Amino acid sequence: MQALTSMIERIGRVAGRVVGTLYQAGRDSIDQVLKNILPFMAFIALVIGIINATGVGKWLANALEPLSSNPIGLVVMSLIVGFPILSPILGPGAVIAQVIGTVLGTQFASKALPASVALPCLFAINPQVGCDFIPVGLALGEAEPYTVEVGVPAVLFERFISGPIAVIIAYFASFAFGL
C-alpha cells in the first residue's frame, strides 16, 4: 500500500510541474502578444491603410515597372526598394511588393516582359522583406537597446547590399535552368 501511495504522489508531483510549466508558458505568451505583437500589428495596419488610401503603392509600382525589362533596371529596382530608409516603410504587409508583383504579373501574362526576367523580378521587388519586423523581432528577443540600435541598421544595410546580388544570381540562374 505504501508503494502505491508513493507512486501516486510522484505522478501527482510530475503532473503538477508539467501543468505549472504549461500554465506559465501560456501566461508568458499572452504577455508577449499584448506587449509586442498587437502594437506591431496595429502599426502595420495603419501603414497598410495609408499606403492603400494614398495610392502610393500603385504610383510606386507604375514608376518601377519600366525598370523590370532588363537586368540593370532590376538591380536598380532592388536598390530602390532595399534602400535602408525606404525598406522599413515599404515592407509592412508586403503591400508594395504585392502591388508591384501584380503589375509585373500582368506584364508577364501579356508577354510584354520575357519570362527569363521573372525570377530576377521576384528578387528585385523583395529586398525589403523582413525589414519592418527587425525591431519587433529584437524586442521579442528582449534585446538590449544598444543591440537594437546597432542591429536594425546592420540588417537594413545587409538587405540593401544582398538584394542586388540576389537579382544578379537569379538572372544567371534563370538562364541556367532554362526559365
Side-chain angles (χ1 to χ4, degrees):
M1 193 63 158
Q2 180 82 14
L4 180 61
T5 305
S6 177
M7 184 175 80
I8 291 172
E9 184 181 321
R10 272 189 246 133
I11 291 172
R13 245 186 268 141
V14 169
R17 265 189 250 131
V18 168
V19 169
T21 301
L22 294 175
Y23 179 72
Q24 187 59 42
R27 290 178 66 177
D28 291 345
S29 297
I30 296 296
D31 188 49
Q32 284 288 346
V33 167
L34 291 175
K35 286 183 178 176
N36 297 314
I37 296 174
L38 288 179
F40 177 70
M41 289 174 68
F43 168 72
I44 295 304
L46 173 71
V47 172
I48 290 170
I50 291 170
I51 289 170
N52 286 336
T54 60
V56 169
K58 270 269 199 244
W59 175 82
L60 192 58
N62 291 328
L64 293 177
E65 182 185 358
L67 297 174
S68 63
S69 61
N70 63 64
I72 295 169
L74 291 171
V75 169
V76 170
M77 183 188 305
S78 175
L79 288 169
I80 292 169
V81 174
F83 192 69
I85 294 171
L86 288 177
S87 57
I89 297 168
L90 301 178
V95 173
I96 301 296
Q98 289 175 20
V99 172
I100 295 171
T102 302
V103 170
L104 293 178
T106 59
Q107 296 297 315
F108 288 119
S110 67
K111 299 199 187 310
L113 289 175
S116 63
V117 295
L119 185 62
C121 277
L122 175 67
F123 283 94
I125 65 174
N126 283 320
Q128 87 291 349
V129 170
C131 291
D132 56 326
F133 190 74
I134 297 162
V136 175
L138 290 172
L140 286 171
E142 298 178 3
E144 297 293 326
Y146 179 74
T147 304
V148 175
E149 185 180 313
V150 172
V152 171
V155 173
L156 294 177
F157 279 105
E158 180 276 327
R159 297 294 289 166
F160 181 65
I161 293 167
S162 66
I165 295 169
V167 170
I168 293 167
I169 292 170
Y171 183 75
F172 288 113
S174 66
F175 290 111
F177 295 111
L179 297 175

